[in-house]
Every structure is written in C-alpha cells, then in structure tokens.
Amino acid sequence: MSKSLKLTLDILIGAAAPVLILKYGTAPLGTLPAYLTAALVPVAWVLLDLFVISRRFNFITTYGGASAVMRGALAFWYVDGALFAFKDSASYLLAFVVFGVTALMGNPVTRSIALQGLDPDTPEREQQMRRLLDEPSVRRAMTQAALLIGATNLAAGGANYLINLRMVTASFNTPAFNDQVANVNAITRIVLVLPDMLALFFAFSLMYKAMYALLPGGSEQEADAAEFWTLLKRREDAMMLTRTDAAAIADPAAEALARRQAREEFGLR
C-alpha cells in the first residue's frame, strides 16, 4: 500500500468515520453501541494495518499499536465531564511522555525514528548510520526534534481537554453526549491534527538537515541528485582515508534534502 493511500485511509477511518458513526449511528445502533463502535473502529484499523497489511514491527508501529490499544481500553471507561475530557486527551499525554520526557532524559526516541525511516538494509549501512547519529550536532538535533514534538502534543492535549470540558456537558450514555462528542471530534481531529503534523514535519526536517549537513557533497545540484546512502558511503570512505578535503553539503542543499526526506515520511512524494 502506498504512503499516500495509507494517509488517506488513516484520515477517513481515524477521523471521519467516528464522527459519522456518532452522528448517524446512534439512533439505529443505540447510544452505547454507537459510542463503542466509533471509538473502536480506528483502533481496529491501526491493529489491522500492524498485523495484516504492513506487518512491520518496529518502534514506530509498536508505538502506534500501543497508543491504539490504550484508546481502545479507555473506551470502556464510562465517564463524562472532566474525567471524559482527561480520557480523550490521554493519547496526547502519552506522546508527550514518549517524546518529551525521553528527550529530557538524553535518549530521544527520534533516533529510533530516523533509523527506521531511512531503513538501513545491511549491517554495514546500519553501522554507518549509527556513527552518523552519534555526531554531536545530530544528537542535538534529535533532542530538539523530540522536544518540539513533545511540547506540541502537550499543548494540543491541554487544548483538547479544555474543548471537551466546555463542549461535552451531557451525561454519558445519552444521545446528547454522543452528539457532543461527535461535534468535538469534528473540530479537534482537524484543528489539533494540523499543528501536530506541522511539528512532525519540521522536526523531521531538523533531524535530516543535521544529518545531511555532515555528508560530503559538491554543488547543490549534485547534492539534490545524490542518494542518502551514496553520500553516507562517501563520508565513511573519507573518514577511513583521513581525508579532510571532502566538502560538506552546503546549507541550502542540506535544507532542501531534509525537506524532501520529511515529505517522503508523510507520503507526499
């Protein structure tokens, strides 16, 4: 499955489907069945993708699966008011812990994301990649990227809590409650997802720019055309020969390559 198709299905099943189920499924299905269906359909899609479609088990997919399982389990915590607002914001809190806290502890998970995003396919390439990631400037960029993602999720979680607290005022297991939850989801699944996606894009760009900036390159045109692993191999060869004349990729070219790599992560190429 292409990344663009996967992204489209994620939006339709993860964001649009729950709103439609709550809005139009409450009457025919019943209040509680409609609520549970709306909550569990996105969870089922994530697990289907993890175990059947992509069948890729790494940090990124494991984190997505764990987050989905948590949301599925919380669906059976029947609460309203402030507790529901907290429950609906729990995934943002989890992201803050995973990204922000690990960055503050000096072991940002963005390192694992970079390794899996570039996907070294041989032991030699994996060793080369790890040496690049151990460079001080790259480690600093990884930490900054993780802090950016963590802080964005913390802010989004706070906003999500306040929106739910203000708009979801009906008692649980009533048609009014389902309708209010649908209204909130229609807002938050768009308004709060956009900053999160932008933060991820700029965080990935920051990481990749730090990596590309340490790779050898000639002109900007040559850098644009070169593949990451080719440049990394040239860097390793230069280090083995103790050469000092291998010019690093110019900053504008490194920026362009980093943004291209980030776009590929989102399936935009």
Side-chain angles (χ1 to χ4, degrees):
M1 182 183 297
S2 66
K3 288 185 177 181
S4 56
L5 176 58
K6 173 66 166 53
L7 180 61
T8 301
L9 290 175
D10 286 343
I11 294 172
L12 291 176
I13 299 175
V19 174
L20 295 175
I21 293 169
L22 288 169
K23 279 287 186 181
Y24 303 107
T26 296
L29 295 176
T31 305
L32 184 58
Y35 173 78
L36 290 175
T37 302
L40 295 178
V41 162
V43 177
W45 164 247
V46 172
L47 296 180
L48 177 68
D49 176 54
L50 177 60
F51 290 103
V52 179
I53 300 175
S54 65
R55 288 184 293 182
R56 293 185 63 187
F57 297 93
N58 51 42
F59 170 80
I60 299 172
T61 57
T62 301
Y63 167 72
S67 181
V69 169
M70 183 192 73
R71 292 194 301 270
L74 287 175
F76 295 93
W77 185 23
Y78 301 145
V79 291
D80 49 35
L83 287 177
F84 175 79
F86 171 78
K87 180 180 83 167
D88 195 64
S89 306
S91 61
Y92 294 104
L93 182 61
L94 175 64
F96 168 71
V97 171
V98 170
F99 287 93
V101 173
T102 57
L104 293 173
M105 293 174 62
N107 189 27
V109 297
T110 42
R111 179 186 175 93
S112 298
I113 292 175
L115 271 170
Q116 291 158 21
L118 290 164
D119 193 23
D121 54 359
T122 66
E124 180 185 12
R125 284 185 169 181
E126 183 173 351
Q127 292 175 3
Q128 293 172 352
M129 181 76 182
R130 290 185 183 277
R131 283 192 286 270
L132 179 63
L133 295 178
D134 284 335
E135 293 286 350
S137 60
V138 178
R139 290 178 62 88
R140 184 165 56 251
M142 295 289 171
T143 299
Q144 292 170 347
L147 288 174
L148 174 60
I149 297 171
T152 301
N153 275 275
L154 183 62
N160 188 74
Y161 177 85
L162 293 175
I163 293 171
N164 274 278
L165 192 63
R166 182 177 181 84
M167 294 184 62
V168 185
T169 56
S171 298
F172 180 79
N173 200 19
T174 62
F177 179 86
N178 281 14
D179 188 66
Q180 290 172 359
V181 171
N183 293 337
V184 167
N185 286 348
I187 296 172
T188 57
R189 296 303 184 266
I190 297 176
V191 173
L192 297 183
V193 166
L194 289 177
D196 186 44
M197 295 291 285
L198 287 172
L200 285 170
F201 177 79
F202 284 111
F204 289 166
S205 297
L206 180 66
M207 295 189 310
Y208 291 129
K209 181 181 178 182
M211 287 186 275
Y212 277 112
L214 295 180
L215 299 181
S219 67
E220 182 176 343
Q221 290 75 19
E222 290 173 350
D224 285 337
E227 292 296 327
F228 174 83
W229 296 112
T230 301
L231 295 174
L232 185 58
K233 181 64 166 58
R234 287 171 57 188
R235 176 180 186 268
E236 291 285 318
D237 291 342
M239 292 172 62
M240 290 181 62
L241 296 173
T242 64
R243 287 173 51 188
T244 59
D245 58 342
I249 293 179
D251 187 74
E255 180 86 34
L257 286 165
R259 291 186 179 276
R260 184 189 69 180
Q261 193 74 45
R263 287 195 299 271
E264 289 178 355
E265 295 287 344
F266 286 90
L268 300 177
R269 280 179 54 89

